[in-house]
Amino acid sequence: MLVENQSTNSGENIEFSKKLLHSIDFKFNRVIAVQKPSMILRVKLALDKKWLGSEFFVNSPE
């Protein structure tokens, strides 16, 4: 499991996570994101904008 812990907002988290995965040459088509219920739509929209070419599943543990 990789953890990105340098970001200060959702947009940075997406950008930094993408860079982290690319730095280890990790190939993928699908991304699963777990977020608070109130943030699901925001994260989905940010992923669609900042991470082109992948399919996203965003959900909450609650």
Side-chain angles (χ1 to χ4, degrees):
M1 178 181 284
L2 300 172
V3 177
E4 185 287 303
N5 60 1
Q6 301 300 308
S7 60
T8 59
N9 59 57
S10 297
E12 280 186 353
N13 179 250
I14 292 167
E15 291 175 28
F16 296 172
S17 295
K18 186 176 179 180
K19 287 179 185 177
L20 177 63
L21 292 170
H22 286 300
S23 75
I24 61 168
D25 202 30
F26 190 81
K27 306 289 184 205
F28 52 89
N29 302 4
R30 296 180 180 146
V31 175
I32 299 171
V34 180
Q35 188 57 269
K36 294 185 237 179
S38 62
M39 296 291 291
I40 289 175
L41 180 58
R42 179 182 298 204
V43 170
K44 173 71 172 132
L45 294 173
L47 284 167
D48 288 340
K49 181 177 181 181
K50 294 183 175 280
W51 207 326
L52 303 175
S54 293
E55 185 177 1
F56 304 102
F57 302 95
V58 182
N59 210 333
S60 170
E62 298 176 15

